[in-house]
Amino acid sequence: MDEPHPLPASASPGLASTRRSFLRQAAGLVGAAAVARPWLAQAEPAVTPAPVSPASTPGVSTITLKVNGTVRTAELETRVTLLDALRDHLQLPGTKKGCDHGTCGACTVHIDGQRALSCLTLAARAQGHEITTIEGLAQGDTLHPVQQAFIDCDGFQCGFCTPGQIMSVTACIAEGHTHDDGEIREWMSGNLCRCAAYPNILAAVKQAAGKGAA
Ligand code: FES
Ligand code: FES
């Protein structure tokens, strides 16, 4: 039985002709396009796309926040919380995100001297107010007395809750809610500690408030 042979070039003149025609046409189209391109360029002047400004994006605004005495701006969606603005846009990660639902106190900051949960505060609503975070408590190399008290009293273990605890303690002392252990516990009850460092936190509060060690 004869082996089938591949078709010789001459055996498929139609195909060869078609391919040559196609190549010629393609070459012609390329040439035509090359010739036509200047005309096309004239007919369709280049359009420079408008720069995309985040502030022109629907729902995005320029938010101005005064944090730790410094005015900062960021292009943020109006739904962004103060917590996310601080951590993700202003490079201030000291304020911690625990529950993100207003129940743990890890995100506590001061707004005009009052403690506030930054996870429940819209960044846009914090404009025009003085915001203080844990990064703003120390004076240069000198720790805030509450920070020092936490170190002296071993008031933390993993440390995750500590920035929020310290911000709450400074406000708690300023509010005058440190008359006795029960009052301190009550007014610090919004700040949870997974490590259960509560006795040492209580001692730190009392030291910082000038009440002596627990
Ligand atoms: S992260 Fe805000 S209260 Fe828990
Ligand atoms: S020290 Fe670990 S959560 Fe408070």
Side-chain angles (χ1 to χ4, degrees), residues 83 96-108 117-120:
L83 175 60
K96 300 306 180 195
K97 179 183 284 191
C99 64
D100 205 21
H101 284 82
T103 58
C104 75
C107 65
T108 304
L117 297 176
S118 59
C119 73
L120 295 186

Side-chain angles (χ1 to χ4, degrees), residues 155-162 165 192-197 201:
F156 53 89
Q157 291 183 36
C158 77
F160 188 83
C161 73
T162 309
Q165 299 278 4
L192 306 183
C193 175
R194 291 177 300 184
C195 302
I201 292 171

